[in-house]
Amino acid sequence: MGVTEPVLLVIVVATALAFDFTNGFHDTGNAMATSIATRALKPKQAVILSAVLNAAGAFLSLTVAATIAKGIVDAGVVTLPVVLAGLVGGIVWNLVTWLLGIPSSSSHALVGGVVGAVLAAAGTSGVLWTGLVSKVLLPALIAPVVAIGVAAVATRLVTMITKDVPQVQNDRLFRWGQIGSASLVSLAHGTNDAQKSMGIILLALIAAGAVPSDASVPLWVIIACAAAMALGTYTGGWRVIRTLGKGLVELESRQGMAAETSSAAVIMLSSHFGYSLSTTHVATGSILGSGVGLRGASVRWGVAGRMALAWLVTVPAAAAVGAACFGVDAALGAWGVVGLLLVACIGIVYRASKRPVHAGNVNEPWGADEVVAGSVVEHDPSLLAVGPQGSSAHVDEDGR
Amino acid sequence: MSNYVEWDALGQVILVGLVVGAGLPALFAVGVRMVASPDARDERGELPMWRKASAGAAFGAVALAIVAAVAAIAAGGH
């Protein structure tokens, strides 16, 4: 059988892999931020472990469905240009939130991009609004609340049980629990999210007539998706990791372990019971909950509030980019969209390079002028003082 | 509102999530307490048998839960 639009197909597949990369890159922090913040793992060790487990997760379960935004948009209007515009919307929103250091759901970004492209292509009738509200918008509000509750109870129980155990022993032993639970989150992420990209590529291959409509995922697609996600995870979205690990709560090992176990439990159970919650929303909620559950811990709710706002904006913002890309595609063709994406990427990476966050400075004390920070009054000005405390953080070049 | 939220599924997630998500860390904490609480070791600095056994049971149960979780992921529980 002939491939109908080979160039467009290649562009869509490449863009899907690029999205897969940003997905891994953006979500490293969900699993590893707590382990990095409590120094259970060195930053580089953490991202390598997470990358390997994400790749393993991609191979672990291969029940891939060739769908995109199922139940949220009318499947009849999803053409290759719509998929391409949706992917670009997702990538751009992932990069913008990375620049701002805000953890935000990659799957919601993708859904938003596709919704925008569908709106541009078919108008409001192409979007299943009930599905959008019940599958995307409400879960974004519910997930963090559930995770805060579970993680707060877990943290309270753990700290009560171990309250007379010396802190050194607690840190030493709970690190292992922390690494184990964080590994599970990574594995589940690889399985869940790599499959989404595989599904999109499979859908594109079928749509272009490159494989029969009942084909299963070709091996090269699995390998490419696993590799793109692992590479993204290894690159590490350090800005997001920093916000999750240092920006919300000052974490110790017991909290990290309680938070990651809650995340793993809620994420897996939500898929099991058919009520999908975003990994990012659950992981963020769990970290907040570990601050709520520990007596005397303070939570920077201002930072959390900014995130919640970003989650509500995710779908409309990605939709705007998706719709714009669909328009560009109609006017200039797929290469126009690729050009737009490249310009956006270069611009965002350039802005990020002005104030880089990397493995070496990811654990520095949270400052009052941080990009995500709400206001100065929520922070401890002594952290910014020039002196032994400030300088010791700078000596810490390799993140130890 | 009830049309928009699947309360049954959500309720199960919350209930089982609390049991597993809070129960496993608590079990792990019991294990830690068994081997590391201030009065854990006797005058010769050794752990009594019952403490070793309970710690082993607690950590073993947690390890088993992790294996079960990996199996669930592999079986396509997602």
Side-chain angles (χ1 to χ4, degrees):
Chain A
M1 79 173 58
V3 176
T4 48
E5 294 178 275
V7 176
L8 181 60
L9 177 62
V10 169
I11 290 177
V12 170
V13 170
T15 313
L17 291 175
F19 175 77
D20 200 33
F21 176 89
T22 63
N23 189 338
F25 169 77
H26 208 283
D27 292 358
T28 317
N30 293 338
M32 289 301 166
T34 60
S35 300
I36 291 171
T38 64
R39 291 155 206 251
L41 289 167
K42 289 176 194 164
K44 282 286 181 191
Q45 290 176 332
V47 292
I48 289 171
L49 175 63
S50 186
V52 169
L53 289 166
N54 264 288
F59 284 98
L60 205 49
S61 170
L62 297 172
T63 46
V64 175
T67 56
I68 179 171
K70 188 183 174 209
I72 297 164
V73 297
D74 178 0
V77 299
V78 178
T79 58
L80 279 187
V82 166
V83 174
L84 176 63
L87 284 167
V88 173
I91 294 173
V92 170
W93 182 248
N94 269 351
L95 289 177
V96 167
T97 46
W98 162 74
L99 175 65
L100 299 173
I102 297 174
S104 93
S105 166
S106 297
S107 29
H108 283 200
L110 178 63
V111 164
V114 172
V115 165
V118 165
L119 281 175
T124 50
S125 63
V127 179
L128 310 174
W129 297 101
T130 313
L132 184 63
V133 172
S134 66
K135 286 179 199 279
V136 181
L137 298 182
L138 286 177
L141 300 172
I142 292 169
V145 175
V146 171
I148 287 174
V150 173
V153 172
T155 305
R156 177 58 60 90
L157 285 175
V158 164
T159 46
M160 265 167 44
I161 293 168
T162 59
K163 66 173 183 293
D164 60 350
V165 176
Q167 188 67 32
V168 185
Q169 296 279 46
N170 269 340
D171 284 343
R172 187 172 65 86
L173 291 164
F174 274 97
R175 271 175 194 179
W176 290 104
Q178 224 188 329
I179 294 167
S181 49
S183 298
L184 271 184
V185 176
S186 291
L187 199 64
H189 181 265
T191 308
N192 265 339
D193 285 33
Q195 280 185 10
K196 283 177 197 149
S197 302
M198 291 181 209
I200 295 167
I201 294 175
L202 181 59
L203 181 72
L205 291 173
I206 293 171
V211 298
S213 60
D214 58 349
S216 58
V217 190
L219 183 63
W220 67 266
V221 174
I222 301 172
I223 294 172
C225 285
M229 175 149 293
L231 197 65
T233 307
Y234 173 73
T235 310
W238 297 109
R239 309 174 90 86
V240 180
I241 292 174
R242 175 163 171 69
T243 304
L244 279 172
K246 302 295 286 183
L248 294 170
V249 181
E250 292 298 329
L251 291 161
E252 57 155 291
S253 287
R254 291 183 294 175
Q255 289 168 288
M257 190 266 187
E260 292 306 330
T261 311
S262 307
S263 294
V266 173
I267 291 162
M268 289 185 202
L269 288 168
S270 73
S271 334
H272 177 74
F273 289 120
Y275 193 72
S276 267
L277 299 176
S278 154
T279 307
T280 304
H281 300 158
V282 171
T284 309
S286 292
I287 292 172
L288 287 170
S290 76
V292 173
L294 181 70
R295 247 180 252 273
S298 59
V299 178
R300 294 192 189 93
W301 290 107
V303 176
R306 285 243 177 154
M307 285 178 194
L309 190 66
W311 295 347
L312 293 177
V313 174
T314 294
V315 169
V321 180
C325 287
F326 189 82
V328 170
D329 187 85
L332 302 172
W335 287 112
V337 180
V338 173
L340 194 73
L341 176 61
L342 287 178
V343 170
C345 289
I346 291 167
I348 291 168
V349 171
Y350 174 73
R351 278 296 302 274
S353 70
K354 298 268 191 191
R355 190 172 174 155
V357 179
H358 45 78
N361 67 1
V362 68
N363 270 340
E364 283 192 16
W366 190 257
D369 58 342
E370 299 266 348
V371 183
V372 188
S375 70
V376 178
V377 287
E378 291 161 11
H379 300 283
D380 180 3
S382 69
L383 290 177
L384 296 173
V386 182
Q389 191 174 21
S391 54
S392 71
H394 289 282
V395 180
D396 216 9
E397 281 297 319
D398 57 0
R400 256 168 286 148
Chain B
M1 195 70 177
S2 60
N3 296 333
Y4 286 104
V5 180
E6 298 163 42
W7 291 109
D8 285 357
L10 181 60
Q12 283 170 312
V13 172
I14 294 173
L15 203 69
V16 186
L18 275 173
V19 172
V20 179
L24 285 177
L27 205 56
F28 191 91
V30 169
V32 168
R33 194 185 161 78
M34 283 300 141
V35 296
S37 78
D39 55 349
R41 290 170 189 278
D42 59 24
E43 55 275 16
R44 284 172 301 148
E46 288 190 9
L47 281 176
M49 198 56 211
W50 70 271
R51 279 189 176 268
K52 281 186 192 163
S54 348
F59 290 133
V62 173
L64 207 64
I66 292 176
V67 172
V70 174
I73 297 173
H78 275 276

